[in-house]
Amino acid sequence: MPAAPAATTVAPIAVCDLGTRFGAQVVHEHLDLQVSRGEILGVVGGSGTGKSVLLRTIIGLRRPDAGTVRLLGADLHALPSPQRIAIERRIGVLFQDGALFSSLSVADNICVPLLEHTALSARDARRVATLKIALAGLPQDARDKYPSELSGGMRKRAALARALALDPEILFLDEPTSGLDPVTAAGFDHLLRTLRDALGLTVYMNTHDLDSLHAVCDRVAVLADRRVVVCADLATVARYDHPWVQEYFHGPRGRAANVAWATPTPENR
């Protein structure tokens, strides 16, 4: 009897020949990107290269002008509403600045997707919210606070707790450490790596933080010239012969980060 064919592994995120336009402005052209299951991918690029637009396109908030985007093996725009919602329940998103509902407490923010997409009662949803608050490293007294009563780092963690509410397979992060002090940002990086390892998450992260690239990313994708010009491990990307790449990784801040991470510490051992 012939052997059964080997099962193929579907990439959680697959972007092929993507084109993005706003009127006459071309943001992406012939952009290809594939993310492997269980990896943390850092996406970097200069201002105006369309990092946030790409993320929004991948999660289905914007229809591609050309090419295809497949999320968990599916083209969201080709699915009927019930199937699309089923796919969307398998992802979590942390938008820039957290995007928490300002009129709701932290716990109520986390309850929103639970009450929208599950059959949990309000009481059980709050119990789950309490667990997610702990998972995100927030103190329990943050549960009943409003976003305006939280520090920047705590708001990021509250938004992360909400993104984790439905136990997603893929976590999308848009500049998660932007505006945080170095200690708070390092704590967020450590939490992200711990969650990936513990929960088996696939993580797609827009960032400009060189320390985050060193601390948590398995690969780095560089957006430039309307496409992904290189996607590889950090050392390979840093050697790539492109003007923006060389300035980013070998300019003053890049050199400082390289020196810091070349010295063994608890964070980079």
Side-chain angles (χ1 to χ4, degrees):
M1 179 180 294
T8 57
T9 301
V10 176
I13 302 169
V15 181
C16 181
D17 203 29
L18 178 70
T20 303
R21 299 175 182 84
F22 293 95
Q25 180 187 8
V26 179
V27 179
H28 304 132
E29 192 170 34
H30 305 304
L31 187 153
D32 297 312
L33 180 65
Q34 186 162 301
V35 182
S36 300
R37 191 171 301 277
E39 78 169 327
I40 299 179
L41 177 77
V43 180
V44 301
S47 178
T49 54
K51 298 187 297 296
S52 293
V53 172
L54 177 58
L55 186 154
R56 290 170 55 208
T57 303
I58 291 172
I59 65 176
L61 294 181
R62 189 180 191 284
R63 184 183 293 272
D65 294 299
T68 60
V69 175
R70 301 190 73 82
L71 182 62
L72 292 166
D75 178 351
L76 292 182
H77 295 287
L79 294 177
S81 182
Q83 286 90 331
R84 175 169 176 156
I85 291 172
I87 293 290
E88 291 173 341
R89 286 185 55 182
R90 296 164 64 188
I91 69 172
V93 185
L94 192 164
F95 294 99
Q96 285 191 37
D97 301 320
L100 295 167
F101 298 112
S102 61
S103 61
L104 299 180
S105 68
V106 169
D108 288 338
N109 264 279
I110 299 168
C111 285
V112 168
L114 292 168
L115 295 174
E116 179 73 20
H117 294 291
T118 74
L120 291 175
S121 66
R123 181 180 180 182
D124 287 340
R126 287 189 69 84
R127 288 176 175 170
V128 174
T130 297
L131 293 175
K132 301 304 179 180
I133 287 168
L135 192 64
L138 281 170
Q140 285 304 310
D141 63 6
R143 180 177 56 186
D144 297 319
K145 292 183 177 180
Y146 291 88
S148 62
E149 299 174 315
L150 303 176
S151 67
M154 291 178 72
R155 282 196 299 273
K156 297 279 189 178
R157 288 178 182 251
L160 177 62
R162 186 179 63 183
L164 295 170
L166 296 175
D167 299 324
E169 298 172 40
I170 308 177
L171 188 61
F172 291 90
L173 310 173
D174 199 1
E175 301 287 359
T177 59
S178 176
L180 301 184
D181 66 83
V183 174
T184 303
F188 192 97
D189 288 339
H190 177 73
L191 173 64
L192 180 59
R193 184 167 53 188
T194 300
L195 290 173
R196 188 279 301 270
D197 294 343
L199 304 178
L201 294 169
T202 300
V203 181
Y204 179 107
M205 177 173 66
N206 285 343
T207 186
H208 66 275
D209 191 331
L210 283 157
D211 287 327
S212 291
L213 297 181
H214 282 279
V216 301
C217 293
D218 299 301
R219 290 192 302 151
V220 176
V222 177
L223 285 184
D225 305 329
R226 303 175 178 173
R227 60 189 176 87
V228 175
V229 295
V230 61
C231 183
D233 62 89
L234 183 59
T236 300
V237 170
R239 293 194 300 268
Y240 189 73
D241 186 16
H242 185 280
W244 188 88
V245 174
Q246 290 303 304
E247 177 62 24
Y248 181 74
F249 286 101
H250 302 290
R253 292 190 177 184
R255 289 195 298 271
N258 290 335
V259 169
W261 284 91
T263 304
T265 68
E267 287 76 20
N268 60 22
R269 285 193 182 106

